[in-house]
Short mmCIF file of all heavy atoms in Angstrom, two decimals:
data_model
loop_
_atom_site.label_atom_id
_atom_site.label_comp_id
_atom_site.label_asym_id
_atom_site.label_seq_id
_atom_site.Cartn_x
_atom_site.Cartn_y
_atom_site.Cartn_z
N LEU R 1 103.37 4.46 116.91
CA LEU R 1 104.48 3.69 116.38
C LEU R 1 104.04 2.30 115.93
O LEU R 1 104.40 1.89 114.77
CB LEU R 1 105.68 3.54 117.43
CG LEU R 1 106.85 2.84 116.92
CD1 LEU R 1 107.59 3.59 115.84
CD2 LEU R 1 107.81 2.53 118.11
N ASP R 2 103.11 1.72 116.71
CA ASP R 2 102.62 0.39 116.31
C ASP R 2 101.78 0.48 115.11
O ASP R 2 101.92 -0.27 114.12
CB ASP R 2 101.74 -0.07 117.48
CG ASP R 2 101.20 -1.54 117.19
OD1 ASP R 2 101.95 -2.33 116.94
OD2 ASP R 2 99.95 -1.66 117.33
N ARG R 3 101.06 1.59 114.96
CA ARG R 3 100.23 1.76 113.73
C ARG R 3 101.06 2.05 112.54
O ARG R 3 100.80 1.67 111.44
CB ARG R 3 99.13 2.83 113.96
CG ARG R 3 98.10 2.27 114.99
CD ARG R 3 97.00 3.35 115.16
NE ARG R 3 96.30 3.59 113.85
CZ ARG R 3 95.91 4.72 113.37
NH1 ARG R 3 95.83 5.76 114.21
NH2 ARG R 3 95.19 4.89 112.33
N ARG R 4 102.12 3.06 112.74
CA ARG R 4 102.93 3.31 111.54
C ARG R 4 103.82 2.29 111.04
O ARG R 4 104.15 2.21 109.87
CB ARG R 4 103.77 4.58 112.04
CG ARG R 4 103.05 5.86 112.26
CD ARG R 4 102.52 6.53 111.01
NE ARG R 4 103.57 6.76 110.08
CZ ARG R 4 103.30 6.88 108.79
NH1 ARG R 4 102.14 6.55 108.34
NH2 ARG R 4 104.24 7.05 107.92
N LEU R 5 104.14 1.30 111.90
CA LEU R 5 105.02 0.24 111.45
C LEU R 5 104.28 -1.09 110.98
O LEU R 5 104.87 -2.09 110.91
CB LEU R 5 106.06 -0.20 112.62
CG LEU R 5 106.95 0.99 112.90
CD1 LEU R 5 107.87 0.50 114.03
CD2 LEU R 5 107.84 1.37 111.60
N ALA R 6 102.93 -0.88 110.81
CA ALA R 6 102.17 -2.05 110.47
C ALA R 6 102.64 -2.57 109.12
O ALA R 6 103.17 -1.88 108.18
CB ALA R 6 100.70 -1.56 110.28
N PHE R 7 102.65 -3.88 108.95
CA PHE R 7 103.19 -4.67 107.75
C PHE R 7 102.25 -4.25 106.50
O PHE R 7 102.84 -3.86 105.47
CB PHE R 7 103.26 -6.11 107.87
CG PHE R 7 103.80 -6.84 106.71
CD1 PHE R 7 105.17 -6.88 106.54
CD2 PHE R 7 102.83 -7.43 105.85
CE1 PHE R 7 105.57 -7.49 105.34
CE2 PHE R 7 103.33 -8.06 104.68
CZ PHE R 7 104.66 -8.11 104.46
N GLU R 8 100.96 -4.25 106.79
CA GLU R 8 100.00 -4.02 105.60
C GLU R 8 99.89 -2.42 105.51
O GLU R 8 99.59 -1.67 106.37
CB GLU R 8 98.64 -4.58 106.09
CG GLU R 8 98.64 -5.96 106.23
CD GLU R 8 98.13 -6.79 105.01
OE1 GLU R 8 98.01 -6.09 103.92
OE2 GLU R 8 97.75 -7.87 105.19
N PRO R 9 100.25 -2.03 104.35
CA PRO R 9 100.20 -0.49 104.09
C PRO R 9 98.78 0.02 104.42
O PRO R 9 98.72 1.22 104.81
CB PRO R 9 100.53 -0.38 102.60
CG PRO R 9 101.31 -1.59 102.30
CD PRO R 9 100.77 -2.68 103.18
N ASN R 10 97.70 -0.65 104.06
CA ASN R 10 96.39 -0.14 104.22
C ASN R 10 96.08 0.02 105.90
O ASN R 10 95.13 0.67 106.23
CB ASN R 10 95.39 -1.02 103.78
CG ASN R 10 95.41 -0.91 102.21
OD1 ASN R 10 95.88 0.07 101.67
ND2 ASN R 10 94.95 -1.97 101.45
N ASP R 11 96.85 -0.70 106.65
CA ASP R 11 96.72 -0.49 108.17
C ASP R 11 97.44 0.61 108.73
O ASP R 11 97.34 1.00 109.92
CB ASP R 11 97.15 -1.93 108.80
CG ASP R 11 96.29 -2.98 108.47
OD1 ASP R 11 95.12 -2.79 108.02
OD2 ASP R 11 96.69 -4.28 108.69
N ARG R 12 98.27 1.30 107.94
CA ARG R 12 99.06 2.45 108.46
C ARG R 12 98.28 3.72 108.28
O ARG R 12 97.60 3.95 107.24
CB ARG R 12 100.44 2.53 107.63
CG ARG R 12 101.33 1.35 107.69
CD ARG R 12 102.60 1.56 106.88
NE ARG R 12 103.07 0.20 106.56
CZ ARG R 12 103.62 -0.12 105.35
NH1 ARG R 12 103.74 0.75 104.40
NH2 ARG R 12 104.08 -1.27 105.23
N PRO R 13 98.34 4.64 109.25
CA PRO R 13 97.56 5.81 109.19
C PRO R 13 98.33 6.79 108.03
O PRO R 13 99.61 6.66 107.99
CB PRO R 13 97.65 6.47 110.50
CG PRO R 13 98.92 5.93 111.23
CD PRO R 13 99.06 4.49 110.53
N SER R 14 97.60 7.65 107.37
CA SER R 14 98.25 8.66 106.49
C SER R 14 98.96 9.57 107.46
O SER R 14 98.69 9.68 108.76
CB SER R 14 97.19 9.34 105.70
OG SER R 14 96.40 10.04 106.54
N ALA R 15 99.76 10.45 106.91
CA ALA R 15 100.31 11.65 107.64
C ALA R 15 99.43 12.39 108.31
O ALA R 15 99.49 12.80 109.58
CB ALA R 15 101.22 12.35 106.75
N GLU R 16 98.30 12.72 107.66
CA GLU R 16 97.12 13.56 108.14
C GLU R 16 96.57 12.74 109.33
O GLU R 16 96.33 13.41 110.42
CB GLU R 16 96.14 13.87 107.10
CG GLU R 16 95.10 14.75 107.47
CD GLU R 16 94.18 15.19 106.37
OE1 GLU R 16 94.41 14.82 105.23
OE2 GLU R 16 93.22 15.95 106.59
N GLU R 17 96.28 11.44 109.25
CA GLU R 17 95.68 10.80 110.33
C GLU R 17 96.63 10.73 111.46
O GLU R 17 96.32 10.78 112.61
CB GLU R 17 95.29 9.39 109.82
CG GLU R 17 94.20 9.35 108.87
CD GLU R 17 94.03 7.96 108.15
OE1 GLU R 17 94.95 7.25 108.02
OE2 GLU R 17 92.83 7.68 107.70
N ALA R 18 97.89 10.45 111.31
CA ALA R 18 98.93 10.33 112.31
C ALA R 18 98.97 11.67 113.05
O ALA R 18 99.15 11.67 114.39
CB ALA R 18 100.22 10.11 111.67
N LEU R 19 98.97 12.84 112.42
CA LEU R 19 98.99 14.14 113.07
C LEU R 19 97.84 14.43 113.93
O LEU R 19 97.80 15.15 114.86
CB LEU R 19 99.16 15.29 112.08
CG LEU R 19 100.62 15.30 111.49
CD1 LEU R 19 100.61 16.31 110.36
CD2 LEU R 19 101.57 15.70 112.63
N ALA R 20 96.73 13.68 113.69
CA ALA R 20 95.40 13.93 114.38
C ALA R 20 95.33 13.10 115.71
O ALA R 20 94.40 13.29 116.44
CB ALA R 20 94.26 13.55 113.51
N VAL R 21 96.33 12.16 115.95
CA VAL R 21 96.22 11.33 117.06
C VAL R 21 96.60 12.12 118.36
O VAL R 21 97.21 13.15 118.33
CB VAL R 21 97.21 10.19 117.03
CG1 VAL R 21 96.80 9.21 115.80
CG2 VAL R 21 98.67 10.46 117.07
N PRO R 22 96.03 11.68 119.58
CA PRO R 22 96.25 12.41 120.69
C PRO R 22 97.65 12.71 121.15
O PRO R 22 97.91 13.78 121.78
CB PRO R 22 95.59 11.43 121.87
CG PRO R 22 94.67 10.70 121.09
CD PRO R 22 95.23 10.36 119.78
N TYR R 23 98.56 11.99 120.67
CA TYR R 23 100.08 12.26 121.04
C TYR R 23 100.40 13.55 120.47
O TYR R 23 101.25 14.23 121.10
CB TYR R 23 100.98 11.08 120.37
CG TYR R 23 102.36 11.32 120.61
CD1 TYR R 23 102.89 11.08 121.92
CD2 TYR R 23 103.31 11.76 119.74
CE1 TYR R 23 104.30 11.25 122.27
CE2 TYR R 23 104.66 11.81 119.98
CZ TYR R 23 105.06 11.73 121.15
OH TYR R 23 106.45 11.85 121.35
N PHE R 24 99.87 14.02 119.36
CA PHE R 24 100.25 15.35 118.80
C PHE R 24 99.34 16.39 119.07
O PHE R 24 99.41 17.52 118.48
CB PHE R 24 100.43 15.17 117.21
CG PHE R 24 101.58 14.27 116.81
CD1 PHE R 24 101.31 13.13 116.03
CD2 PHE R 24 102.84 14.59 117.05
CE1 PHE R 24 102.40 12.42 115.60
CE2 PHE R 24 103.82 13.80 116.70
CZ PHE R 24 103.76 12.75 115.98
N LYS R 25 98.39 16.20 119.98
CA LYS R 25 97.47 17.24 120.29
C LYS R 25 98.18 18.55 120.77
O LYS R 25 99.04 18.58 121.47
CB LYS R 25 96.57 16.69 121.49
CG LYS R 25 95.49 17.65 121.86
CD LYS R 25 94.51 17.16 122.92
CE LYS R 25 93.42 18.20 123.10
NZ LYS R 25 92.51 17.67 124.06
N GLY R 26 97.73 19.58 120.14
CA GLY R 26 98.34 20.84 120.30
C GLY R 26 99.50 21.22 119.59
O GLY R 26 100.06 22.26 119.51
N LEU R 27 100.14 20.25 118.93
CA LEU R 27 101.40 20.42 118.15
C LEU R 27 100.94 20.95 116.71
O LEU R 27 101.73 21.81 116.27
CB LEU R 27 102.13 19.17 118.06
CG LEU R 27 103.37 19.22 117.19
CD1 LEU R 27 104.44 20.02 117.92
CD2 LEU R 27 104.03 17.84 117.08
N ALA R 28 100.04 20.38 116.15
CA ALA R 28 99.69 20.85 114.77
C ALA R 28 98.16 20.94 114.64
O ALA R 28 97.41 20.39 115.30
CB ALA R 28 100.16 19.72 113.79
N LYS R 29 97.77 21.95 113.82
CA LYS R 29 96.45 22.21 113.46
C LYS R 29 96.12 21.43 112.13
O LYS R 29 96.34 22.07 111.03
CB LYS R 29 96.07 23.59 113.43
CG LYS R 29 96.29 24.34 114.86
CD LYS R 29 95.51 25.50 114.98
CE LYS R 29 95.52 26.12 116.33
NZ LYS R 29 95.09 25.46 117.38
N VAL R 30 95.68 20.23 112.21
CA VAL R 30 95.61 19.54 110.98
C VAL R 30 94.66 20.09 109.91
O VAL R 30 94.84 20.10 108.77
CB VAL R 30 95.03 18.05 111.27
CG1 VAL R 30 94.72 17.18 109.93
CG2 VAL R 30 96.11 17.30 112.16
N GLU R 31 93.55 20.71 110.45
CA GLU R 31 92.57 21.35 109.67
C GLU R 31 93.25 22.51 108.68
O GLU R 31 92.75 23.01 107.75
CB GLU R 31 91.44 21.87 110.37
CG GLU R 31 91.70 23.00 111.35
CD GLU R 31 92.21 22.43 112.66
OE1 GLU R 31 92.39 21.17 112.82
OE2 GLU R 31 92.46 23.32 113.52
N ARG R 32 94.41 23.07 109.14
CA ARG R 32 95.04 24.21 108.42
C ARG R 32 96.06 23.59 107.54
O ARG R 32 96.62 24.45 106.74
CB ARG R 32 95.70 25.09 109.46
CG ARG R 32 94.65 25.90 110.29
CD ARG R 32 95.25 26.83 111.33
NE ARG R 32 96.39 27.46 110.82
CZ ARG R 32 97.32 28.10 111.59
NH1 ARG R 32 97.22 27.98 112.76
NH2 ARG R 32 98.39 28.66 111.10
N LYS R 33 96.39 22.40 107.61
CA LYS R 33 97.41 21.84 106.70
C LYS R 33 96.89 21.45 105.29
O LYS R 33 95.77 20.90 105.40
CB LYS R 33 98.11 20.70 107.29
CG LYS R 33 98.69 20.90 108.67
CD LYS R 33 99.99 21.85 108.46
CE LYS R 33 100.62 21.92 109.84
NZ LYS R 33 101.32 23.20 110.14
N PRO R 34 97.45 21.74 104.23
CA PRO R 34 96.99 21.28 103.02
C PRO R 34 97.09 19.67 102.89
O PRO R 34 98.02 19.13 103.43
CB PRO R 34 97.95 21.96 101.90
CG PRO R 34 99.12 22.34 102.69
CD PRO R 34 98.77 22.49 104.04
N SER R 35 96.17 19.08 102.27
CA SER R 35 96.26 17.72 102.09
C SER R 35 96.52 17.30 100.69
O SER R 35 95.98 17.93 99.72
CB SER R 35 94.79 17.19 102.47
OG SER R 35 95.03 15.80 102.97
N ALA R 36 97.37 16.38 100.50
CA ALA R 36 97.77 15.88 99.09
C ALA R 36 96.96 14.76 98.66
O ALA R 36 96.57 13.95 99.57
CB ALA R 36 99.17 15.67 99.03
N SER R 37 96.80 14.62 97.45
CA SER R 37 96.09 13.40 97.00
C SER R 37 97.07 12.20 97.03
O SER R 37 98.31 12.36 97.04
CB SER R 37 95.56 13.60 95.58
OG SER R 37 96.68 13.85 94.65
N GLN R 38 96.61 10.97 97.11
CA GLN R 38 97.48 9.81 97.04
C GLN R 38 98.35 9.78 95.80
O GLN R 38 97.74 9.95 94.81
CB GLN R 38 96.64 8.54 97.33
CG GLN R 38 97.54 7.35 97.57
CD GLN R 38 96.67 6.15 97.99
OE1 GLN R 38 95.44 6.22 98.06
NE2 GLN R 38 97.23 5.01 98.21
N LEU R 39 99.58 9.39 96.00
CA LEU R 39 100.45 9.30 94.83
C LEU R 39 100.04 8.06 94.12
O LEU R 39 99.54 7.07 94.64
CB LEU R 39 101.89 9.07 95.36
CG LEU R 39 102.52 10.24 96.02
CD1 LEU R 39 103.96 9.85 96.50
CD2 LEU R 39 102.59 11.48 95.03
#
């Protein structure tokens, strides 16, 4: 939450990075999810 609510956009993790944090361990297999290019 602290990282996602960072004021500076560059300090916020991408969705892919957020899913890879230990909190979500076992919930999602990031390597199987398609990744989108930055808008």
Side-chain angles (χ1 to χ4, degrees):
L1 184 63
D2 184 52
R3 291 185 61 215
R4 291 293 300 151
L5 294 178
F7 181 79
E8 299 258 17
N10 291 334
D11 292 341
R12 299 178 204 143
S14 66
E16 188 173 350
E17 291 167 336
L19 286 172
V21 301
Y23 180 72
F24 291 121
K25 185 176 182 173
L27 179 66
K29 298 208 179 289
V30 175
E31 64 277 359
R32 291 180 37 198
K33 304 286 183 213
S35 209
S37 60
Q38 187 172 0
L39 296 174

